[in-house]
Amino acid sequence: MSGLVDAVAPVTRRVRAYFAPVNRAAGVPAIFDAAQMGSFELDVPTAPWVDLGWCSGFARKCATKVAPLRTGAPAVVQTQVRTELEATVSLEFESWGKLQMALAAGSQQMNLLVTAAGAAANGSGGTAAAPVPLVAGSTAASLNVGTASGSFNVGDLVVVDVDYAGQVGFVGSGVSAAYVASATAVNGDVNYVRRVSLNVARVIAIASGALQLGTPLLAGAPAAGMQVSKLVGFVDREGGGWFQEWSALFVLEGEQGDRVIYHYPRLQAMQGSAESMVALAAPLERVRLAGAFRALPVKDANDGETVVCFRSYLPGAMRAV
Amino acid sequence: MQNAKDTFYTTLRDRLAAVNPARTIVVRGVTRPAVLVEENELPSDAVPVDAFRLRWVGLKADPNGAQPLVTMSCEIRYATDGNSGNGGMDRGRLLAGMDAELASAVSEHPRSAVKMSYSAAPPVAMGTNVFWGDVAFSAAATTGERLERVATVEVFCYQEAGEL
């Protein structure tokens, strides 16, 4: 390289989104350290970050209010104070999937479990068919179901999680997917955790009693007692009292080797499920999942300041700063 | 600007050669990937078929900023008569194949390349990247049995200090 190069404004074409689960029970978000991980390869994010793909219409708004503090007569601005700390983010996902739908959903995002024969119809899916137990030897990418493998087909969608057994509080392995107030509220449904769980994958091969998954399970190797249910798709609802919460990362890759990273340790959906229709060629329209989120605060361990977003800039090589 | 033009050409040539190594052309007795820059070749009215011909057309420069941002339009022309063994009846398929090769090469990640100066051997890497937008395809034109298309790509670069 010839030497130091003048700095220019970053030029980017798209935004890449990532998320990581927040430990809801402990109230601990995932922290991204741009000093250590900022230059990660976009296709292979460091754990616990999970790729959500490209998104468009990315817009972040600072709603923090700065007000003047006046004293004297006549009143003169002596200083300024922050009266509210707030930030919002909105975007549209370029792809649909369980994770994208879960983030964009205003409340619980549920799995449409295959129903039991004769189950009564229900908006978010009727009574589910009996789950299939796992046998020893399962991993995050391979589910050992033994002789039950004959009841599965390549291409099936499956969810892997524990039975609901009266637990209250946050449920869902890997990611808190819902909050159960009481067993009564969920009718003691043994499949309720699998109904809301984000621990889903698609079966891409079946061999020797094991279901090979297209992507590893978010929660890693299945724990003892987990079972497998088939599902046909996903459903979210307008309404519901649960707030999803995520740690999120948005990366703008500059064409000059520079990079801008927005890290929101805590984001909650601030609107119900929504879509935008983008005209392709009449009458065709592309349907994009639309999400709008409000950032919640964390304490910066360096100085104890309350913040809602970290914006990092990583200049390109040999760029003047 | 010449460095950016050369860099875009070599990048596109290498990518197209990787997408379809069998697409070659003989120029002045040398077999090479079927990508050439018209202004770098001997003037000729002959249209080489089954090859990509780059023609630099528009030029804009935005002087604002620490480095001027230069935008150049590159027309990529290609044509096919079809395969004589098939009586030219496969010309549509062959043109579609070239469309796909070009789209693949231009949209391959990353859509940028370190700007190189080819005025010395070996080439010298410069301080900025050349980057480009999406490829825009015009309608296919028919001349006799020949099918032709012009695709356009906007190529961007920063004019570095001291660079001609």
Side-chain angles (χ1 to χ4, degrees):
Chain A
M1 194 170 292
S2 53
L4 196 64
V5 180
D6 289 333
V8 293
V11 175
T12 188
R13 64 185 82 221
R14 293 187 293 183
V15 178
R16 190 77 168 252
Y18 304 85
F19 97 103
V22 169
N23 183 335
R24 300 297 297 272
V28 178
I31 296 299
F32 180 83
D33 186 341
Q36 299 182 53
M37 303 179 281
S39 300
F40 72 96
E41 176 62 39
L42 292 187
D43 290 335
V44 282
T46 314
W49 298 94
V50 179
D51 189 4
L52 292 171
W54 299 105
C55 56
S56 56
F58 177 77
R60 56 190 293 271
K61 291 180 182 172
C62 169
T64 298
K65 292 182 179 173
V66 176
L69 190 63
R70 296 181 175 89
T71 59
V76 176
V77 175
Q78 295 295 339
T79 187
Q80 294 191 112
V81 293
R82 287 185 176 81
T83 59
E84 289 179 31
L85 183 61
E86 187 172 347
T88 60
V89 179
S90 60
L91 55 87
E92 294 171 357
F93 291 107
E94 290 287 347
S95 54
W96 284 57
K98 173 68 179 178
L99 292 176
Q100 290 86 349
M101 288 188 71
L103 264 77
S107 61
Q108 294 97 328
Q109 209 285 325
M110 308 172 85
N111 300 312
L112 287 167
L113 302 181
V114 171
T115 54
N122 187 55
S124 59
T127 303
V132 174
L134 290 169
V135 297
S138 295
T139 68
S142 175
L143 302 177
N144 199 353
V145 293
T147 55
S149 64
S151 61
F152 290 88
N153 296 302
V154 170
D156 282 348
L157 288 167
V158 293
V159 56
V160 184
D161 218 314
V162 297
D163 289 348
Y164 181 74
Q167 57 267 51
V168 293
F170 299 103
V171 295
S173 298
V175 178
S176 295
Y179 186 92
V180 179
S182 70
T184 308
V186 297
N187 301 316
D189 178 10
V190 70
N191 288 300
Y192 185 76
V193 180
R194 282 182 290 277
R195 195 178 290 285
V196 296
S197 177
L198 278 84
N199 212 28
V200 301
R202 189 180 288 278
V203 177
I204 59 167
I206 301 173
S208 304
L211 312 178
Q212 306 301 325
L213 306 179
T215 49
L217 297 167
L218 275 179
M226 285 190 175
Q227 300 201 75
V228 185
S229 290
K230 283 199 255 186
L231 62 134
V232 298
F234 312 112
V235 57
D236 48 47
R237 306 169 297 186
E238 192 66 48
W242 161 253
F243 278 106
Q244 303 272 355
E245 184 173 316
W246 316 91
S247 297
L249 202 61
F250 303 100
V251 180
L252 280 65
E253 186 84 322
E255 297 293 347
Q256 299 300 318
D258 42 2
R259 181 175 283 190
V260 180
I261 302 170
Y262 300 103
H263 169 42
Y264 290 88
R266 298 178 63 205
L267 274 186
Q268 287 193 349
M270 56 179 279
Q271 70 179 26
S273 54
E275 311 84 31
S276 69
M277 310 296 278
V278 181
L280 195 57
L284 298 174
E285 292 180 320
R286 181 179 290 168
V287 187
R288 287 190 177 135
L289 278 171
F293 310 93
R294 176 168 282 113
L296 302 179
V298 294
K299 291 279 187 190
D300 187 334
N302 275 333
D303 55 11
E305 290 279 9
T306 299
V307 297
V308 293
C309 174
F310 299 90
R311 179 181 69 184
S312 302
Y313 171 58
L314 278 58
M318 291 303 287
R319 194 71 43 174
V321 293
Chain B
M1 297 171 204
Q2 186 59 48
N3 293 328
K5 290 159 71 176
D6 293 342
T7 301
F8 179 73
Y9 158 66
T10 54
T11 304
L12 187 64
R13 178 199 62 193
D14 294 347
R15 291 184 177 190
L16 285 166
V19 171
N20 182 5
R23 187 175 299 285
T24 58
I25 188 173
V26 178
V27 180
R28 298 190 299 278
V30 177
T31 301
R32 55 187 242 195
V35 187
L36 53 85
V37 182
E38 288 185 337
E39 65 191 29
N40 295 347
E41 302 296 338
L42 294 172
S44 171
D45 288 335
V47 175
V49 294
D50 302 315
F52 296 97
R53 294 170 284 127
L54 275 57
R55 180 181 296 179
W56 292 102
V57 287
L59 177 65
K60 289 187 293 186
D62 177 0
N64 298 311
Q67 298 180 87
L69 176 62
V70 176
T71 307
M72 299 179 290
S73 296
C74 182
E75 284 185 357
I76 303 165
R77 296 169 172 263
Y78 48 101
T80 182
D81 294 334
N83 192 323
S84 58
N86 293 325
M89 291 187 295
D90 57 355
R91 58 192 183 282
R93 289 175 177 273
L94 294 183
L95 191 74
M98 298 186 79
D99 295 339
E101 289 171 26
L102 183 60
S104 173
V106 172
S107 61
E108 181 183 321
H109 183 78
R111 285 198 269 181
S112 62
V114 175
K115 186 160 64 174
M116 305 292 292
S117 170
Y118 291 89
S119 58
V124 177
M126 304 190 72
T128 56
N129 288 349
V130 176
F131 54 101
W132 51 90
D134 296 335
V135 59
F137 295 97
S138 68
T142 305
T143 306
E145 291 185 352
R146 177 166 296 172
L147 280 181
E148 300 175 280
R149 196 189 299 280
V150 179
T152 306
V153 178
E154 297 292 302
V155 179
F156 304 88
C157 66
Y158 288 101
Q159 190 72 4
E160 297 183 34
E163 184 185 15
L164 295 177

